[in-house]
Amino acid sequence: MNTKRLFRKVHYWLSLAVFIPTGVIFITGTLLMLKKDISWVQPETRPGITRDVIPAVSNVDFLTLAKEQSEMNINTWADIDRVDIRPSKGIAKIQSKTSWELQVDTETGQVLQTAYRRSGIIEAIHDGSFFSKEMKYFVFLPTSILLVVMWLTGIYLFLLPRIAKKRKSRVFMKRTAPSPRP
């Protein structure tokens, strides 16, 4: 079997093997690329009143404010996934383990926004860890490796006719070139 036929078969069968995982990766990757532009994926960051100052709101105040928001479902620090303080924007983002996000003005302690944040779930779907650890390593990782193989075989199949055409052109030019006169 020649190389061209082998690469076509490899390219063809690998495309079937990676069809569904690749679709999931492409769709979630697109959403993640646009997460700052689509508030459904990640809530828009609301600026605080005062920027670039030491926060007046303490960690205890953050916990108290988060407890007051029923959708956050926070009772203790253990229910908080992270607190992201942005001095340049004058806000703190408090994320619960249930993917809710609370944005607080770091100067006044005013709640600016409470919204559901989907980017973490989309990232987990994107890398396969949402489904299981096994799915991540035995489906999504091999899919990415197979995509690299498909990319390489695709490049080869794309360039092969162009290389062959160039070779034929050179051979034709040598045959039709006038021979030098003595």
Side-chain angles (χ1 to χ4, degrees):
M1 182 181 305
N2 69 14
T3 309
K4 183 178 176 180
R5 179 173 278 173
L6 174 68
F7 277 28
R8 272 198 187 135
K9 283 190 177 202
V10 167
H11 199 82
Y12 177 82
W13 289 108
L14 288 183
S15 68
L16 290 176
V18 301
F19 179 73
I20 292 174
T22 302
V24 170
I25 291 168
F26 288 165
I27 291 167
T28 55
T30 301
L31 288 172
L32 290 172
M33 242 188 329
L34 299 172
K35 72 182 178 183
K36 301 278 185 190
D37 302 313
I38 302 172
S39 60
W40 180 83
V41 176
Q42 180 174 307
E44 176 185 335
T45 301
R46 306 262 171 102
I49 296 169
T50 310
R51 297 180 181 126
D52 294 322
V53 296
I54 298 171
V57 180
S58 71
N59 286 342
V60 174
D61 296 331
F62 288 145
L63 180 60
T64 304
L65 288 166
K67 282 181 178 181
E68 292 172 359
Q69 308 301 313
S70 61
E71 58 271 0
M72 296 286 289
N73 198 21
I74 291 177
N75 296 312
T76 67
W77 279 106
D79 300 324
I80 294 176
D81 184 44
R82 72 186 79 159
V83 177
D84 180 11
I85 299 174
R86 307 264 175 110
S88 64
K89 295 185 178 180
I91 65 156
K93 294 181 177 185
I94 302 161
Q95 291 181 28
S96 73
K97 296 207 174 175
T98 59
S99 297
W100 279 87
E101 178 180 276
L102 172 67
Q103 294 181 19
V104 178
D105 185 297
T106 56
E107 182 67 23
T108 65
Q110 176 186 355
V111 173
L112 301 172
Q113 173 176 258
T114 304
Y116 191 72
R117 184 181 178 114
R118 293 171 180 85
S119 59
I121 293 169
I122 294 171
E123 285 175 26
I125 293 170
H126 183 73
D127 72 9
S129 61
F130 174 82
F131 306 105
S132 70
K133 188 176 180 179
E134 292 79 16
M135 189 84 147
K136 177 179 180 175
Y137 291 114
F138 297 115
V139 174
F140 282 77
L141 178 61
T143 296
S144 65
I145 293 166
L146 294 176
L147 282 172
V148 170
V149 172
M150 287 183 65
W151 176 66
L152 292 170
T153 59
I155 290 171
Y156 176 81
L157 292 170
F158 176 79
L159 293 176
L160 188 65
R162 285 150 185 81
I163 293 168
K165 188 175 180 181
K166 210 173 220 182
R167 281 185 188 154
K168 283 182 184 178
S169 175
R170 283 188 200 146
V171 168
F172 178 75
M173 294 300 266
K174 283 183 181 177
R175 287 184 186 164
T176 58
S179 55
R181 296 184 186 182

